[in-house]
């Protein structure tokens, strides 16, 4: 009995151990640390990106929280602060850096955005991911201003993404009271974005999540996590 209790305790401690980490653009100004949450059970791998644009902090906050998730199978690979210098200065992108979400694939190796795009594509390939979720923000609500993508879910143009996007929006909107803040499906990820690349070239489920920056930071992060949790649950990483 004692041995059994000790074994149970050891297994629980292992399950709750801190996730492994990885580094992107190591040794540069753009160095950023990510986490790998391994369930210990064979299964698919999901990649979650946050903080790609420096003036969109909610995605970074939400992605950091994903590092504390406990998947029941497979792995979660998370880069919470893709654009760490931009986040520090609240700038979408720094002069000369390039757009961190228009580098898939990179056009060269000249800018930090190109190099980050190349490293994240290497992550996709190394882990053979089967889902990508990229967390962003827009200036206002899409239902008020159609030129803004706030409160939308963009889904890759493939069969792996379409039905999942529809089910996710339906589920998430049950937890949002204000009609104007409910999520809409408006189309596919922007060309050369990470979700566009993953959907087109890897053929996997890939999504860009856009919240409206007119809401408080905590609410935006909560909504990001609602979407991430629903997608990961539907994909089998999390238990219902």
């Amino acid at each position: 009995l004692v041995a059994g209790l000790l074994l149970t305790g050891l297994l629980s401690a292992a399950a709750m151990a801190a996730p492994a980490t990885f580094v992107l653009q190591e040794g540069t100004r753009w160095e950023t640390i990510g986490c790998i949450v391994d369930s210990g059970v064979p299964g698919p791998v999901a990649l979650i990106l946050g903080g790609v644009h420096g003036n969109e902090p909610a995605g970074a906050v939400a992605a950091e929280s994903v590092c504390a998730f406990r998947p029941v199978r497979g792995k979660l690979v998370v880069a919470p602060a893709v654009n760490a210098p931009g986040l520090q200065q609240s700038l979408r992108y720094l002069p000369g850096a390039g757009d961190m979400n228009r580098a898939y694939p990179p056009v060269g190796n000249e800018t930090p955005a190109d190099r980050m795009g190349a490293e994240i594509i290497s992550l996709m390939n190394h882990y053979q991911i089967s889902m990508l979720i990229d967390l962003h923000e827009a200036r206002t609500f899409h239902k008020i201003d159609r030129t803004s993508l706030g409160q939308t879910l963009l889904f890759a143009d493939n069969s792996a993404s379409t039905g999942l996007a529809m089910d996710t929006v339906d589920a998430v909107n049950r937890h949002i009271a204000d009609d104007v803040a409910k999520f809409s499906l408006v189309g596919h990820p922007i060309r050369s974005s990470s979700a566009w690349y993953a959907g087109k070239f890897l053929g996997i489920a890939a999504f860009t999540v856009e919240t409206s920056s007119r809401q408080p930071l905590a609410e935006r992060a909560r909504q990001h996590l609602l979407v991430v949790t629903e997608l990961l649950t539907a994909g089998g990483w999390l238990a219902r």
Side-chain angles (χ1 to χ4, degrees), residues 26-144:
E26 187 171 9
T28 74
R29 179 187 181 189
W30 304 91
E31 179 175 303
T32 188
I33 298 173
C35 73
I36 303 167
V37 188
D38 189 344
S39 68
V41 177
V45 180
L47 175 60
I48 296 94
L49 305 176
V52 173
H53 290 141
N55 61 339
E56 300 173 11
V61 172
E64 185 68 37
S65 297
V66 176
C67 291
F69 280 17
R70 293 294 177 258
V72 295
R73 68 167 186 150
K75 296 182 179 72
L76 305 177
V77 178
V78 188
V82 171
N83 185 357
L87 287 165
Q88 291 164 5
Q89 299 184 46
S90 297
L91 293 174
R92 181 179 176 87
Y93 36 77
L94 271 58
D99 189 328
M100 293 280 174
N101 202 32
R102 302 293 185 273
Y104 299 88
V107 296
N109 192 42
E110 300 302 315
T111 68
D114 285 333
R115 293 189 286 274
M116 186 64 79
E119 291 199 27
I120 290 176
I121 289 172
S122 293
L123 273 183
M124 297 181 195
N125 294 329
H126 176 76
Y127 287 101
Q128 297 183 321
I129 65 170
S130 57
M131 182 180 288
L132 181 141
I133 310 170
D134 189 13
L135 306 178
H136 285 266
E137 302 181 59
R139 57 184 171 77
T140 189
F141 299 96
H142 179 71
K143 289 182 178 178
I144 291 176

Side-chain angles (χ1 to χ4, degrees), residues 127-195:
Y127 287 101
Q128 297 183 321
I129 65 170
S130 57
M131 182 180 288
L132 181 141
I133 310 170
D134 189 13
L135 306 178
H136 285 266
E137 302 181 59
R139 57 184 171 77
T140 189
F141 299 96
H142 179 71
K143 289 182 178 178
I144 291 176
D145 182 348
R146 298 295 180 179
T147 67
S148 178
L149 290 173
Q151 305 306 112
T152 66
L153 180 63
L154 309 180
F155 56 97
D157 188 11
N158 59 39
S159 59
S161 306
T162 305
L164 188 50
M166 295 172 66
D167 291 344
T168 296
V169 165
D170 287 344
V172 167
N173 283 345
R174 297 187 196 112
H175 301 279
I176 299 175
D178 189 349
D179 282 343
V180 78
K182 291 183 184 294
F183 280 86
S184 303
L185 299 174
V186 296
H188 306 306
I190 295 170
R191 185 180 181 87
S192 297
S193 67
S194 61

